[in-house]
């Protein structure tokens, strides 16, 4: 400090102007997944794909809820639609903007970006051809966007119905996988350093007859532990069997079909037993014998571990709250995340059609903790809107648990639970946030807000709360 003062005095004595002061240094973006504004807290994107914008019914919107030291809150939320400045296109009836979302840093600037599917939008390719928009992260949050160039297809329909982000080619950059609703092909947009309509290039592949009736879902994770993300592709065979096809390193020349995980319709990927390999949870809400179930397929260096028996859990499993009843839809939604900070991914399972206190389709969420040998159903616990400390009350057709997400939004090293309830308040929809803690989720400081509190409560119903990405 004394040297700088002496130098300045010398300049003034010589009649010279002092040099311009450098601008204060700004903090580098965190690089965290889902951190759209780079402040070190992961954020959430909560969809309301049936939201009305102006006179456009079911045009769709996404609510960005920024994380903080106390977690997400309505006051930190921002609504983005195709009417927002810098977002390509315009909000039109029945577009469904936000029907699918995925987050990754697609231009490698340290800020997480958000890919948004608008699968029912009409484009020059035809009615209902669909589109995908990437909203770009920045120091002020998501701002502006780029419409991705869709691949040429014969009578394309519903492009952007399914999205997943991950490093699929092992180059250290986030890529984007896009699936449509009526044909069996995955488009891969490779991450780079620009904002072009194909990012840094577009490639793709078709899974073949294993998904003959089209793609039902895309989920990314490192199942074989090699540092490159793999892709679980949900689909249905001609025999109407739900399949989960696993492709290792799908973005490069080493792409390998590694077999199928357990069948199901909802999928989550994460390391449940802490062995360094991501495991696959398949939710089968249509399992009529148990009112729905979830099955774990363990990961290994070769992909799905065929040496370990898959583990199936339902509400009739010892220790799991409730009773398996036809139509509960246990397993409709699934998410994995480390709730208690022990390094293993716990499981959240939504049962949106669960009857609570005689209220049909009120919904519930079950947490199945992870242990050193896998999931521990005997230690399971659950929540509904009638649970102590959870705001609101279970009502008919609320569908609490239609979407679940486990994301650390307050930077304490523990995943917090987000629950989407699109039927709340006659279809306005709402979302709940419960914090992770040292042993289990806590209802202390639960945050919730509905569509009306953020300006989306106009009827017909926006159904805020599904999907949730962060």
């Amino acid at each position: 400090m004394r040297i700088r003062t002496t130098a300045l005095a010398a300049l003034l004595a010589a009649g010279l102007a002092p040099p311009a002061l450098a601008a204060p240094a700004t903090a580098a973006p965190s690089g965290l997944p889902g951190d759209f504004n780079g402040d070190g807290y992961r954020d959430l994107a909560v969809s309301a794909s049936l939201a009305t914008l102006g006179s456009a019914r079911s045009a769709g919107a996404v609510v960005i809820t920024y994380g903080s030291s106390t977690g997400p809150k309505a006051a930190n939320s921002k609504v983005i639609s195709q009417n927002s400045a810098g977002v390509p296109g315009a909000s039109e009836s029945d577009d469904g903007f936000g029907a699918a979302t995925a987050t990754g840093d697609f231009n490698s600037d340290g800020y997480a970006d958000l890919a948004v599917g608008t699968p029912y939008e009409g484009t020059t390719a035809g009615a209902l051809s669909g589109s995908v928009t990437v909203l770009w992260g920045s120091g002020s949050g998501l701002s502006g966007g780029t419409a991705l160039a869709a691949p040429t297809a014969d009578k394309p329909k519903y492009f952007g119905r399914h999205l997943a982000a991950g490093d699929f080619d092992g180059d250290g950059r986030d890529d984007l996988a896009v699936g449509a609703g009526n044909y069996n092909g995955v488009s891969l947009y490779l991450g780079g350093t620009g904002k072009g309509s194909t990012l840094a290039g577009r490639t793709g592949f078709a899974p073949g007859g294993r998904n003959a009736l089209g793609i039902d879902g895309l989920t990314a994770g490192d199942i074989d532990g090699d540092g490159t993300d793999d892709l679980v592709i949900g689909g249905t065979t001609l025999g109407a069997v739900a399949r989960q096809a696993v492709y290792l390193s799908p973005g490069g020349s080493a792409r390998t079909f590694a077999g199928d995980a357990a069948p199901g319709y909802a999928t989550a990927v994460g390391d449940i037993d802490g062995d360094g390999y991501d495991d696959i949870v398949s939710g089968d809400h249509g399992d009529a014998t148990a009112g729905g179930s979830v099955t774990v397929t363990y990961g290994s260096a070769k992909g799905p571990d065929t040496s370990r028996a898959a583990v199936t859990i339902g509400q009739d499993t010892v220790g799991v709250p409730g009773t398996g009843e036809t139509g509960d839809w246990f397993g409709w939604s699934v998410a994995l995340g480390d709730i208690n900070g022990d390094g293993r991914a716990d499981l959240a399972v939504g049962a949106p059609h669960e009857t609570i206190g005689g209220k049909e389709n009120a919904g519930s969420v079950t947490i199945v903790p992870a242990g050193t040998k896998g999931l521990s159903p005997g230690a399971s616990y659950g929540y509904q809107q009638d649970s102590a400390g959870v705001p609101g009350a279970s009502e008919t057709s609320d569908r609490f648990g239609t979407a679940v997400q486990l994301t650390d939004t307050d930077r304490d090293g523990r995943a917090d639970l987000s629950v989407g309830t699109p039927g709340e308040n006659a279809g306005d929809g709402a979302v709940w946030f419960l914090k992770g803690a040292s042993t289990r989720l806590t209802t202390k400081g639960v945050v919730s807000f509905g569509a009306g509190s953020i300006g989306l409560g106009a009827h017909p119903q926006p159904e805020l709360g599904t999907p949730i990405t962060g």
Side-chain angles (χ1 to χ4, degrees):
M1 176 66 73
R2 189 169 64 181
I3 295 174
R4 290 179 59 194
T5 302
T6 301
L8 177 58
L11 286 169
L12 293 173
L16 300 176
L21 295 177
T26 57
S30 71
L32 285 173
D35 184 4
F36 303 128
N37 59 1
D39 66 353
Y41 296 98
R42 293 182 64 170
D43 310 311
L44 295 169
V46 185
S47 291
S49 62
L50 299 182
T52 294
L53 281 302
S55 62
R57 297 162 59 99
S58 300
V62 177
V63 178
I64 307 303
T65 301
Y66 293 100
S68 71
S69 60
T70 57
K73 57 187 66 175
N76 287 348
S77 297
K78 176 183 180 181
V79 177
I80 299 179
S81 72
Q82 287 184 293
N83 285 345
S84 299
V87 177
S91 295
E92 301 167 313
S93 292
D94 302 317
D95 277 352
F97 181 84
T101 53
T103 179
D105 183 5
F106 304 122
N107 62 342
S108 308
D109 65 353
Y111 296 99
D113 311 308
L114 183 70
V116 182
T118 311
Y120 313 115
E121 181 170 40
T123 71
T124 55
L128 302 176
S129 54
S131 67
V132 175
T133 300
V134 176
L135 306 175
W136 302 106
S138 71
S140 58
L142 294 177
S143 177
T146 299
L148 296 186
T152 302
D154 181 24
K155 298 180 181 178
K157 288 275 183 81
Y158 317 124
F159 182 71
R161 186 65 187 88
H162 306 289
L163 304 171
D167 180 9
F168 299 124
D169 57 4
D171 66 353
R173 304 180 190 278
D174 288 338
D175 312 310
L176 178 67
V178 182
N182 77 323
Y183 61 90
N184 184 28
V186 177
S187 298
L188 293 175
Y189 293 79
L190 304 179
T193 58
K195 298 180 179 180
S197 64
T198 58
L199 300 184
R202 184 184 64 213
T203 182
F205 67 100
R210 283 174 290 275
N211 303 90
L213 297 184
I215 292 173
D216 294 333
L218 297 171
T219 311
D222 189 2
I223 297 162
D224 60 355
D226 67 350
T228 299
D229 283 318
D230 311 309
L231 194 61
V232 182
I233 304 175
T236 306
T237 68
L238 289 173
V241 177
R243 305 294 291 272
Q244 298 286 349
V246 179
Y247 282 83
L248 306 179
S249 303
S253 59
R255 181 177 64 242
T256 303
F257 170 63
D260 291 326
Y265 300 92
T267 312
V269 175
D271 187 359
I272 293 170
D273 53 6
D275 65 354
Y277 303 106
D278 280 351
D279 310 305
I280 305 165
V281 173
S282 304
D284 184 3
H285 69 279
D287 181 356
T289 61
S293 63
V294 295
T295 301
V296 180
T297 303
Y298 291 100
S300 74
K302 296 182 179 180
D305 190 350
T306 57
S307 69
R308 297 176 68 178
V311 176
T312 299
I313 298 171
Q315 287 184 292
D316 289 333
T317 302
V318 175
V320 176
T323 301
E325 300 166 314
T326 300
D328 282 349
W329 286 22
F330 182 87
W332 170 264
S333 59
V334 291
L336 287 167
D338 183 5
I339 291 171
N340 59 1
D342 66 355
R344 295 184 288 268
D346 309 299
L347 174 65
V349 185
H353 285 195
E354 177 90 8
T355 297
I356 306 294
K359 307 295 178 57
E360 295 183 353
N361 303 328
S364 67
V365 174
T366 299
I367 305 300
V368 186
T372 55
K373 297 182 179 180
L375 293 176
S376 302
S380 299
Y381 55 98
Y383 297 99
Q384 50 195 261
Q385 287 192 72
D386 285 345
S387 297
V390 176
S394 295
E395 300 167 312
T396 299
S397 298
D398 276 352
R399 291 179 284 142
F400 184 85
T402 297
V404 291
Q405 178 63 268
L406 286 167
T407 302
D408 180 9
T409 59
D410 56 4
R411 204 168 60 186
D412 66 352
R414 304 181 181 104
D416 312 309
L417 174 67
S418 305
V419 182
T421 309
E424 180 77 6
N425 294 332
D428 279 355
V431 62
W432 276 254
F433 308 101
L434 288 75
K435 293 182 180 181
S438 58
T439 56
R440 56 187 282 172
L441 292 169
T442 177
T443 55
K444 182 179 180 180
V446 174
V447 173
S448 68
F449 61 83
S453 67
I454 52 175
L456 283 178
H459 291 276
Q461 298 86 351
E463 296 201 1
L464 174 72
T466 180
I468 303 173
T469 297

